[in-house]
């Protein structure tokens, strides 16, 4: 499965604990990453500055569902289930 361009659920819904350029403390769940463009594309894609966790995410039906709305719901549940 390929990422749905413009979805950005993984860049908004989930928390990222590692530093991101412009977000040195990481990103809380539910907060839009500062590296997203207006059309929800990652400014750091392919860059060494991109956090390893972001690069490790792979689109799959289990994580992304069949629509952007499903992706947001699935990732929100995963975030809730893995919250410390």
């Amino acid at each position: 499965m390929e990422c749905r361009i413009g979805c950005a659920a993984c860049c908004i819904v989930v928390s990222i604990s590692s530093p991101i350029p412009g977000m040195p403390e990481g990103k809380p769940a539910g907060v839009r990453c500062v590296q997203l463009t207006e059309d929800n594309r990652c400014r750091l894609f392919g860059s060494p500055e991109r956090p390893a966790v972001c690069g490790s995410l792979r689109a799959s039906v289990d994580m992304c569902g069949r629509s952007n709305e499903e992706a947001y719901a699935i990732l929100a549940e995963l975030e809730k289930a893995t919250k410390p």
Side-chain angles (χ1 to χ4, degrees), residues 12 14 21 33-35 40 44-46 48 50 53 56-57 65 69-70 80-81:
I12 298 169
V14 299
C33 179
V34 298
Q35 295 300 329
N40 285 344
L44 299 177
F45 192 84
R50 186 176 183 212
V53 67
S56 71
L57 293 173
E69 293 76 19
E70 281 186 23
K80 185 175 154 185

Side-chain angles (χ1 to χ4, degrees), residues 5-8 11-12 32-43 68 72:
I5 295 175
C7 173
C11 304
I12 298 169
R32 181 181 174 83
C33 179
V34 298
Q35 295 300 329
L36 282 176
T37 63
E38 285 186 30
D39 62 349
N40 285 344
R41 292 176 186 248
C42 178
R43 287 185 183 94
N68 294 359
Y72 279 74

Side-chain angles (χ1 to χ4, degrees), residues 47-80:
S47 165
E49 293 178 293
R50 186 176 183 212
V53 67
C54 298
S56 71
L57 293 173
R58 298 287 178 249
S60 70
V61 174
D62 290 342
M63 185 173 84
C64 305
R66 305 225 176 263
S67 67
N68 294 359
E69 293 76 19
E70 281 186 23
Y72 279 74
I74 291 167
L75 290 174
E77 283 300 313
L78 286 172
E79 180 68 29
K80 185 175 154 185

